[in-house]
Amino acid sequence: MYRWCYLTVFLLPTTLLGQSVLKLNEAVSIAMEQNFGIQISTLEQTVDEKGIYKSNAGIGPVIDLNSNFRTTGNNVNQTFLDGREVNRWGRSINPSADISLNLTLYDGGRMRATYQGLKMMGEYGEIEKKLIIQNTLVEVMVTYFNIVKHKKTLTYLNSIIEYYNERLKITDERWQVGKGSKLDYLQSKTDLNAQLSEVTRAENNLKNAKVVLNGLLNRHPSEDFEVEESQRTSSNYDLSNLEERAINQNRDIVLLQKSLEISYKEEQEVSSARKPQVFLNGSVGYSYIDTNTGFLSNSQNLAGIVGLSARWNLFNGRHTKNQIAISRIKTQIIEKQQESLEAQIINDLTLAFNQYQSDKELLQFEQQNKAIAEENLSISLEKFRLGGSSILVLSEAQRAYDTALNRLVNSEYSVKISELNILRLSGSLVE
């Protein structure tokens, strides 16, 4: 079962009119069902699960039915001591069948270790699937938040254009009545056109971001939709709890831990070659011969055989010893990789935690800056309308407002991404 605790942080109901609204949890659900990467990982896990059975590890008897039918023909010329002679064409029919059984009674524990290794490979496949799901969901969420960012960017650019239109209107009226400079009008027109270019770029960025999300959801690239611009509240996290959770639940760490368990089982498999092997063999067979030559016209035979055999390798040129040493070194490599990965994850998690704390503080500053810049622009525009301010002052106020809105949108996006990174590293995104 999968849980997306991250969704509860960001999703609040919003009513949007017009196009269909694609909510974040809906995008996640569609990805779980339609994403090609997840579908492929599901099939691969099914293959791993179907390979978990005892006979795949050599456990259990092997029973074979063998049959044979043979016929021969020959020209018989025989002269007996009593003077009799036989000269005729002979034939012989010889059908046979047998059922054989072979069972390994003991092989030093190799079969058991192999079977347990198959189970672990199935568990490895399940963890690997969860890792693919996690990475896909992260990609879906990042793309979704990117769409929200581009939409908000487009919204604030359109709101700024209202100020540029008002400025153009004022400079045009002043120029027409001879109270203003044409240069002010031309500058206002140039700044408005530059703003309209930004709108065009923002529209294209929004359109392309939707194409990317449609690709992740295995939908047609041209399918249009709206997204929720929900307001969110910041969450508080404890770094020590996150670190403990990461060691136990981070998908990359868990996957490497399972690789280590599999490596231990492979060591047991290799070590089993040092021990003796005992086999049970048995067969039941029937044969029949029918011939028109010789002293017997027909013969049939029914026989059963049961036996034990044993094998114990005493020397094979140090091959087994070397294989055991190699297997142990491979295990040590994975152990070191696990230690390195755990240290790296803790380091990355600390960086992500610090970044999230910083992003939250910056968001508060940007919200304040936006309010200040908006008030400053309103005052500057009114003073410019009344002739109490120059166009340079108004232009600077417009640029400051533009910058404040852009920084605010980017700051909101950064908070979402940094929190998503915390949840991914701590293994809290998919359970």
Side-chain angles (χ1 to χ4, degrees), residues 175-372:
W175 173 50
Q176 295 296 338
V177 299
K179 291 185 179 181
S181 169
K182 185 178 182 180
L183 291 177
D184 290 348
Y185 169 76
L186 293 177
Q187 185 62 49
S188 299
K189 185 68 175 177
T190 300
D191 291 345
L192 176 60
N193 287 338
Q195 201 68 17
L196 291 173
S197 297
E198 290 296 324
V199 170
T200 300
R201 276 192 286 269
E203 289 175 342
N204 187 62
N205 290 336
L206 177 60
K207 186 183 301 182
N208 288 341
K210 289 183 178 181
V211 171
V212 173
L213 183 58
N214 281 330
L216 292 172
L217 304 184
N218 193 19
R219 306 198 304 183
H220 194 277
S222 63
E223 185 169 348
D224 201 7
F225 56 90
E226 285 291 345
V227 292
E228 286 187 322
E229 299 181 35
S230 57
Q231 299 295 323
R232 60 170 299 278
T233 57
S234 299
S235 300
N236 295 318
Y237 297 99
D238 180 76
L239 183 56
S240 60
N241 291 337
L242 289 172
E243 290 177 352
E244 181 180 355
R245 189 178 183 90
I247 294 299
N248 295 321
Q249 297 193 18
N250 178 276
R251 297 302 163 197
D252 294 292
I253 293 178
V254 173
L255 193 65
L256 199 56
Q257 288 172 342
K258 188 57 63 175
S259 296
L260 184 59
E261 293 178 14
I262 293 173
S263 185
Y264 288 143
K265 287 300 172 184
E266 289 176 349
E267 279 191 56
Q268 293 181 17
E269 288 186 56
V270 176
S271 298
S272 66
R274 286 178 167 177
K275 300 177 181 180
Q277 297 175 303
V278 180
F279 307 94
L280 172 66
N281 312 107
S283 67
V284 176
Y286 173 80
S287 64
Y288 175 79
I289 299 176
D290 183 272
T291 179
N292 62 354
T293 61
F295 296 99
L296 296 175
S297 64
N298 61 71
S299 173
Q300 57 181 339
N301 182 45
L302 178 64
I305 302 173
V306 177
L308 289 174
S309 62
R311 183 175 64 219
W312 192 354
N313 178 260
L314 300 178
F315 180 75
N316 59 0
R318 300 171 61 89
H319 175 72
T320 300
K321 183 178 180 179
N322 290 333
Q323 290 301 308
I324 292 174
I326 292 172
S327 180
R328 180 54 189 160
I329 293 173
K330 289 181 178 179
T331 300
Q332 291 174 346
I333 291 173
I334 299 177
E335 289 174 342
K336 292 300 180 182
Q337 289 175 337
Q338 180 180 352
E339 293 177 9
S340 175
L341 180 61
E342 289 179 356
Q344 184 62 50
I345 293 298
I346 295 301
N347 186 71
D348 292 345
L349 182 58
T350 302
L351 293 174
F353 178 81
N354 292 340
Q355 184 64 49
Y356 177 61
Q357 297 299 113
S358 175
D359 287 340
K360 287 198 300 181
E361 293 181 14
L362 290 173
L363 178 58
Q364 295 177 354
F365 290 133
E366 299 304 339
Q367 289 171 340
Q368 296 173 8
N369 289 337
K370 181 259 184 183
I372 294 172

Side-chain angles (χ1 to χ4, degrees), residues 6 10 142 145-146 149 232 352 355-360 362-363 366 406-422:
Y6 187 70
F10 293 103
V142 169
F145 297 146
N146 197 34
K149 183 184 75 169
R232 60 170 299 278
Q355 184 64 49
Y356 177 61
Q357 297 299 113
S358 175
D359 287 340
K360 287 198 300 181
L362 290 173
L363 178 58
E366 299 304 339
N406 184 57
R407 289 170 63 93
L408 176 59
V409 170
N410 287 330
S411 184
E412 291 174 342
Y413 175 77
S414 295
V415 170
K416 294 176 181 178
I417 298 303
S418 58
E419 184 169 10
L420 179 58
N421 201 28
I422 285 177

Side-chain angles (χ1 to χ4, degrees), residues 31-61:
M32 289 291 297
E33 296 177 359
Q34 302 294 335
N35 181 268
F36 282 124
I38 294 178
Q39 291 178 352
I40 292 172
S41 67
T42 300
L43 292 174
E44 289 175 341
Q45 184 190 7
T46 302
V47 171
D48 292 336
E49 291 176 348
K50 287 188 175 297
I52 305 173
Y53 53 93
K54 291 185 177 181
S55 59
N56 197 21
I59 300 176

Side-chain angles (χ1 to χ4, degrees), residues 39-235:
Q39 291 178 352
I40 292 172
S41 67
T42 300
L43 292 174
E44 289 175 341
Q45 184 190 7
T46 302
V47 171
D48 292 336
E49 291 176 348
K50 287 188 175 297
I52 305 173
Y53 53 93
K54 291 185 177 181
S55 59
N56 197 21
I59 300 176
V62 177
I63 301 176
D64 295 314
L65 173 62
N66 306 295
S67 62
N68 183 47
F69 179 84
R70 182 173 59 187
T71 181
T72 59
N74 59 313
N75 187 24
V76 179
N77 291 289
Q78 295 176 328
T79 301
F80 295 91
L81 294 176
D82 59 3
R84 288 182 296 112
E85 293 184 357
V86 176
N87 186 3
R88 66 174 180 269
W89 179 259
R91 57 103 181 112
S92 174
I93 299 174
N94 179 208
S96 64
D98 70 85
I99 297 177
S100 63
L101 177 146
N102 295 281
L103 176 64
T104 302
L105 299 179
Y106 179 73
D107 65 348
R110 185 193 65 82
M111 293 185 299
R112 181 182 178 187
T114 301
Y115 182 59
Q116 291 175 341
L118 291 174
K119 289 182 178 180
M120 290 179 180
M121 287 300 300
E123 295 169 356
Y124 183 94
E126 183 178 357
I127 298 171
E128 197 171 35
K129 175 185 174 182
K130 288 183 178 180
L131 180 59
I132 293 174
I133 290 174
Q134 172 191 274
N135 294 338
T136 301
L137 297 188
V138 168
E139 196 172 357
V140 168
M141 291 178 182
V142 169
T143 305
Y144 189 95
F145 297 146
N146 197 34
I147 293 174
V148 173
K149 183 184 75 169
H150 288 311
K151 184 177 179 181
K152 286 187 175 182
T153 299
L154 187 60
T155 299
Y156 88 69
L157 286 174
N158 286 324
S159 69
I160 290 175
I161 285 178
E162 297 178 6
Y163 290 97
Y164 280 89
N165 281 325
E166 183 65 20
R167 170 183 154 187
L168 180 64
K169 179 181 178 182
I170 294 173
T171 55
D172 183 36
E173 291 175 350
R174 288 183 179 179
W175 173 50
Q176 295 296 338
V177 299
K179 291 185 179 181
S181 169
K182 185 178 182 180
L183 291 177
D184 290 348
Y185 169 76
L186 293 177
Q187 185 62 49
S188 299
K189 185 68 175 177
T190 300
D191 291 345
L192 176 60
N193 287 338
Q195 201 68 17
L196 291 173
S197 297
E198 290 296 324
V199 170
T200 300
R201 276 192 286 269
E203 289 175 342
N204 187 62
N205 290 336
L206 177 60
K207 186 183 301 182
N208 288 341
K210 289 183 178 181
V211 171
V212 173
L213 183 58
N214 281 330
L216 292 172
L217 304 184
N218 193 19
R219 306 198 304 183
H220 194 277
S222 63
E223 185 169 348
D224 201 7
F225 56 90
E226 285 291 345
V227 292
E228 286 187 322
E229 299 181 35
S230 57
Q231 299 295 323
R232 60 170 299 278
T233 57
S234 299
S235 300

